[in-house]
């Protein structure tokens, strides 16, 4: 996990977004979060945290690219 990715996880934890932090850890570790949670839950988390990805300007946090990979 790179320093930037670790910072994203820490930011999510500090913000109290523990579910989002779990999604990030799974993705950054090379796992598919959909194998560990229902699609509806994953989709909701992606939609709620879309702004975090835009603020950080990381392509991996954009929902369209995330859903295409999984």
């Amino acid at each position: 996990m790179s320093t930037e990715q670790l910072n994203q996880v820490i930011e999510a934890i500090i913000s109290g977004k523990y579910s989002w932090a779990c999604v990030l850890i799974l993705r950054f570790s090379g796992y598919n979060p959909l194998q560990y949670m229902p699609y509806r839950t994953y989709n909701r988390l992606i939609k709620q945290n879309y702004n975090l990805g835009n603020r950080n300007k990381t392509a991996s946090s954009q929902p369209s690219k995330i859903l295409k990979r999984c």
Side-chain angles (χ1 to χ4, degrees), residues 6-66:
L6 182 61
N7 288 337
Q8 288 179 1
V9 172
I10 291 170
E11 182 180 332
I13 292 170
I14 290 171
S15 300
K17 298 183 177 207
Y18 305 111
S19 298
W20 181 241
C22 290
V23 169
L24 291 176
I25 290 170
L26 286 168
R27 281 189 18 224
F28 295 151
S29 299
Y31 294 98
N32 182 356
L34 289 171
Q35 292 179 343
Y36 301 94
M37 66 181 62
Y39 174 78
R40 290 177 62 188
T41 302
Y42 179 73
N43 198 27
R44 177 182 49 82
L45 289 169
I46 293 295
K47 287 180 182 179
Q48 287 176 345
N49 295 289
Y50 178 71
N51 292 331
L52 290 177
N54 284 340
R55 185 176 58 200
N56 292 334
K57 301 289 184 198
T58 57
S60 65
S61 295
Q62 294 177 357
S64 61
K65 294 191 179 194
I66 291 170

